[in-house]
Amino acid sequence: MRIGILGGGQLGRMMSLSASAMGYETLSLDPAERAPAAQVAPSIVANFDDVEAAKELAARTDVITYEFENIETAMIEAIRDKCPQGMDVLKATQHRLLEKQMIESAGLRVAP
């Protein structure tokens, strides 16, 4: 199984290393050619609003996740069948008040 990661920063690198230790392959998408994740696993170099690059990532992987919230929602819409966490989590994490409300609704405390 190959896991696609939208974002190739430090979290993408850590995900890639952990996935590899468990026997999975990863492929990240990031605009930086030498992004941290690209140093340990294959990467597609493209911007976070490049829907065609997201479709390529989907075609080359079995499932997709994202490592941070600055992903264009149009990219997730284009690959929603491969992205199980979908739009709700992404939209909430892009809006700090919604994010805090979501966390509080799960019974957790947040800073004011």
Side-chain angles (χ1 to χ4, degrees):
M1 174 176 262
R2 180 180 268 181
I3 302 167
I5 305 170
L6 289 169
Q10 293 176 0
L11 294 176
R13 180 185 176 101
M14 289 186 282
M15 279 193 272
S16 291
L17 292 171
S18 293
S20 178
M22 292 185 278
Y24 298 102
E25 296 179 10
T26 60
L27 176 64
S28 63
L29 184 150
D30 195 274
E33 191 171 317
R34 295 281 301 147
Q39 297 172 21
V40 298
S43 179
I44 296 171
V45 178
N47 290 325
F48 294 127
D49 61 355
D50 188 335
V51 173
E52 292 307 311
K55 289 179 181 177
E56 178 186 348
L57 183 68
R60 296 174 58 187
T61 58
D62 299 297
V63 65
I64 296 175
T65 190
Y66 39 86
E67 64 139 12
F68 73 125
E69 71 275 8
N70 294 323
I71 304 294
E72 291 292 326
T73 55
M75 289 182 78
I76 303 299
E77 283 291 330
I79 57 172
R80 69 180 331 150
D81 61 321
K82 293 266 182 114
C83 197
Q85 66 271 41
M87 297 294 292
D88 293 339
V89 173
L90 180 63
K91 285 180 181 179
T93 59
Q94 289 178 338
H95 187 283
R96 293 297 175 236
L97 181 58
L98 291 177
E99 182 180 44
K100 286 185 174 204
Q101 291 170 345
M102 182 180 71
I103 293 168
E104 286 176 326
S105 72
L108 303 170
R109 295 177 57 199
V110 298

